[in-house]
Amino acid sequence: MTTHGDPATQPGAPAVAARAGSPDAAEDPTATTGDESLPAALGALRAAIGAARFPLTLPSTEPARRAATALTDQLDDYLLPRLARLDAPLLVVVGGSTGAGKSTLVNSLVKARVSAAGVLRPTTRSPVLVCSPADSSWFRQGELLPGLTRRNEPSDDPRTLQLVTAPALPPGLAFLDAPDIDSVVDANRALAGQLLAAADLWLFVTTAARYADAVPWELLRGARARGTVIAMVLDRVPPEAGDEIAAHLTEMLAEQGLDQAPLFVLPETWVDGQGLLPERVTAPLADWFARLAADAEARAAVVRQTLDGALAALHPTVQELAGAAEEQLTAADALDERVRAAYRGAHRTVEEGLRDGRLLRGEVLARWQEFVGTGEFFRTLEARIGRLRDRLFAAFTGRPAPAAELRTAIESQLVTLLRGVAAEAAENAYTGWKAHPAGAALLEPELAHAAADLPERAERMVRDWQRGVLELVRAEGGDKRFVARTAAYAVNATGLAVMIAVFASTAFIPTGLEVATGAGTTVAAQAVLQAIFGDQAVRTLATKARVDLLDRVRTLLDGEAARYLARSADARPGPETADTLRRAAERVESARRRSGLTTEGPAR
């Protein structure tokens, strides 16, 4: 094995592995253990991230979910346990691409076959942690990587952690052989990323054939952004191409801001009967780690740099989470507004139907004419207004069948209108949601139509309104003048006239257009009611009846809209999620600056 440069003088060597400052100047690693503010702040952040939900399907949803999971894992696996014990053994996670020789290298460094190596891929199915016998209790307790079950033997379950002790490994240092970062097994690949986030130091292993692959460099850039201490191993390098390949890799490291990472070059070679590399090949790297294990201040500096980098990286990542949470709320509001707009439009259509006289066409008009009299009645109404009461009395008392038919026609006309507007609103809301990525994921086919029981509910609503109109007429009968005028007329017939007046116009003041609508029906309804109640009573009754009808229509349509709104409500994140995340991140950042871990040192 050769190295690119002298490892003893590399920035990643024990004296320089802590780029925040020289080990001689490193502070006591236990200096901040008495400060509870940082662990408390991290605990609050952990709770805020755990409570955050990203249920709506948006471009930012999956990245936010992955980021939240990654942050939770890092807090549980590394930050919280490491803060609790800054003096715990230094954990070196050995990561790299498939077939890079990670397991063989770990075995060779600890001088024992502790991790399976072979030609079958993936070889490392569950992670293997190798430590000194003196340090085994720390790793066996499960404070680090608590989500992994400890075992003493190999396992195919990626959620287990095999613990192995190696007498040749000095105290204060442990190696974790992680699954391949580009494994074809999704669970292995995800676990590799989780383990790398729990490392005090990354030992990144690549080969002469694969050092330019995209996946390792993406992870290395992430590690650099978090301030993680990194050392590189370039494995299986042909002797004749060693200098050229090492120089190229060094240039790539410099371009990515990783020029301080020590680089160790291992030539192509053979393994002995135990599958270990020759000691002469691994000696420079083994010596580098031996010096690191022997220097408590250098280890503390490595821990501080990686820990502070991970803490500093929390703030921007949590800010992105908060932004994603706000996008969820904005999307939920947008979905709700599309539904409300559709049903507001339906309500307006009903209002227009009452205003423009369309409800008086057809069957209702025919039944009204039959109920009140004949066409001659309308033609002679203005000239014979004085005889109106007598005509109404005959109509109201002698022709009960036309009254029932008129009431049925009014009900049918209203129900038909309500079914139409509800169907159109459902279709518009469905189309609006379908055009939105978050809405499309919430849709069910039945939402494209009005609810199956809408006709029944509409009929019940109209009948309730008709009864309400009759109650309104009876209530107005409390006025003595009203009683005097209506003594000869049935309340039921008067109520029907009020309903016709509601259908005829909004303000009940006939205009030229209204006279033309429904063959003069507006004038007829107006005149009938004026003859019975007088002008002010007409306005009062008609206005109240119309408001009552529109209120009932709104309630009916709100029930239809609720089919949509209930779905968006179930998928709506908490309104305080973004603010809670931001406050928690600010608290961590403030505590970090006070903790003494930062490169600037404690705040003064």
Side-chain angles (χ1 to χ4, degrees):
M1 171 179 174
T2 62
T3 63
H4 181 71
D6 182 1
T9 61
Q10 285 290 332
V16 194
R19 297 171 206 157
S22 68
D24 294 338
E27 298 178 49
D28 180 356
T30 63
T32 61
T33 57
D35 182 5
E36 296 297 325
S37 62
L38 184 52
L42 286 173
L45 178 61
R46 172 66 175 82
I49 295 172
R53 296 173 59 240
F54 305 92
L56 293 174
T57 302
L58 297 170
S60 62
T61 297
E62 279 307 314
R65 289 173 180 169
R66 289 195 298 268
T69 298
L71 285 174
T72 299
D73 288 341
Q74 189 176 36
L75 285 163
D76 292 343
D77 295 344
Y78 180 67
L79 291 174
L80 289 169
R82 173 50 84 184
L83 272 175
R85 283 288 305 276
L86 289 173
D87 61 338
L90 185 74
L91 181 62
V92 179
V93 175
V94 183
S97 304
T98 301
K102 301 183 301 297
S103 298
T104 299
L105 181 60
V106 170
N107 293 340
S108 300
L109 290 173
V110 302
K111 300 179 181 179
R113 192 178 178 84
V114 295
S115 186
V119 295
L120 295 179
R121 304 298 174 206
T123 303
T124 304
R125 293 177 176 84
S126 64
V128 180
L129 192 148
V130 192
C131 64
S132 165
D135 294 332
S136 63
S137 60
W138 159 251
F139 293 107
R140 197 169 298 279
Q141 289 170 357
E143 294 175 350
L144 190 75
L145 297 165
L148 301 183
T149 302
R150 272 56 173 168
R151 299 178 66 103
N152 294 325
E153 63 279 343
S155 171
D156 289 337
D157 183 357
R159 302 308 302 175
T160 63
L161 180 63
Q162 182 188 357
L163 296 179
V164 182
T165 59
L169 191 59
L173 188 67
F175 290 103
L176 197 160
D177 186 8
D180 301 329
I181 59 173
D182 55 356
S183 174
V184 295
V185 180
D186 291 343
N188 283 358
R189 193 167 59 251
L191 180 59
Q194 181 181 347
L195 296 177
L196 287 171
D200 293 313
L201 186 153
W202 279 19
L203 182 62
F204 222 82
V205 183
T206 187
T207 65
R210 305 195 59 181
Y211 69 89
D213 287 358
V215 173
W217 285 101
E218 182 179 349
L219 289 172
L220 287 168
R221 282 191 291 270
R224 179 205 61 197
R226 292 197 300 270
T228 305
V229 177
I230 300 171
M232 295 285 296
V233 173
L234 182 62
D235 196 10
R236 300 175 181 169
V237 179
E240 66 277 7
D243 291 342
E244 180 181 351
I245 294 175
H248 185 218
L249 179 54
T250 299
E251 290 177 3
M252 295 180 69
L253 289 169
E255 290 173 358
Q256 299 297 328
L258 294 166
D259 49 310
Q260 295 188 60
L263 173 61
F264 299 89
V265 180
L266 278 67
E268 285 183 324
T269 187
W270 47 266
V271 295
D272 63 18
Q274 291 185 297
L276 307 183
L277 296 170
E279 287 192 23
R280 61 176 176 78
V281 171
T282 60
L285 183 58
D287 291 344
W288 188 81
F289 277 120
R291 294 195 300 275
L292 184 59
D295 190 337
E297 288 188 344
R299 293 200 311 275
V302 170
V303 168
R304 285 179 177 281
Q305 178 181 327
T306 297
L307 184 58
D308 182 58
L311 290 169
L314 291 176
H315 191 272
T317 306
V318 175
Q319 291 294 327
E320 292 177 3
L321 278 186
E326 288 177 333
E327 288 182 21
Q328 293 274 313
L329 281 176
T330 300
D333 290 342
L335 293 179
D336 288 354
E337 176 54 30
R338 293 185 184 197
V339 172
R340 293 192 175 101
Y343 285 92
R344 281 198 304 269
H347 193 268
R348 282 195 300 271
T349 301
V350 174
E351 286 186 287
E352 292 168 1
L354 297 180
R355 183 180 299 113
D356 62 17
R358 76 181 70 172
L359 290 171
L360 286 172
R361 300 186 180 100
E363 187 71 12
V364 172
L365 179 60
R367 298 288 76 80
W368 166 248
Q369 290 174 335
E370 180 182 331
F371 173 65
V372 175
T374 65
E376 182 183 356
F377 169 78
F378 294 105
R379 289 192 298 270
T380 61
L381 180 62
E382 292 180 348
R384 301 178 182 180
I385 194 68
R387 299 172 53 194
L388 181 58
R389 291 189 182 88
D390 294 336
R391 295 291 303 273
L392 287 173
F393 178 79
F396 295 165
T397 60
R399 306 183 63 176
E405 292 174 358
L406 174 58
R407 186 167 182 169
T408 300
I410 290 173
E411 177 184 334
S412 176
Q413 192 82 318
L414 267 176
V415 170
T416 299
L417 175 63
L418 293 173
R419 292 180 66 173
V421 299
E424 184 178 5
E427 183 178 352
N428 290 339
Y430 191 93
T431 302
W433 273 27
K434 192 174 183 180
H436 194 291
L442 297 177
L443 286 174
E444 295 292 342
E446 61 268 19
L447 290 175
H449 312 284
D453 64 344
L454 184 277
E456 177 185 347
R457 288 187 289 116
E459 291 172 3
R460 185 166 58 250
M461 185 222 81
V462 173
R463 288 194 294 269
D464 289 345
W465 173 69
Q466 289 176 328
R467 284 192 291 269
V469 172
L470 298 183
E471 290 299 323
L472 179 63
V473 171
R474 291 190 185 96
E476 291 294 333
D479 182 89
K480 292 182 179 180
R481 291 176 302 166
F482 177 87
V483 172
R485 290 170 179 166
T486 61
Y489 309 117
V491 169
N492 183 59
T494 306
L496 287 171
V498 172
M499 295 175 203
I500 290 296
V502 171
F503 278 21
S505 68
T506 299
F508 305 99
I509 302 175
T511 67
L513 290 175
E514 289 173 328
V515 169
T517 301
T521 307
T522 300
V523 176
Q526 176 88 354
V528 167
L529 291 179
Q530 282 179 342
I532 300 172
F533 308 124
D535 184 66
Q536 186 57 45
V538 172
R539 295 179 183 277
T540 300
L541 280 173
T543 299
K544 289 182 178 180
R546 179 178 181 275
V547 169
D548 181 41
L549 176 58
L550 290 176
D551 285 346
R552 294 175 187 270
V553 169
R554 180 175 288 105
T555 300
L556 181 74
L557 294 175
D558 285 347
E560 288 291 287
R563 300 181 305 145
Y564 282 91
L565 298 179
R567 290 174 178 267
S568 61
D570 289 342
R572 177 182 289 272
E576 298 298 323
T577 299
D579 288 342
T580 300
L581 286 168
R582 289 194 174 100
R583 286 195 299 268
E586 292 295 341
R587 179 179 172 185
V588 169
E589 181 63 13
S590 178
R592 180 184 76 90
R593 294 185 177 279
R594 293 194 306 267
S595 68
L597 289 171
T598 63
T599 56
E600 299 93 338
R604 299 188 179 211

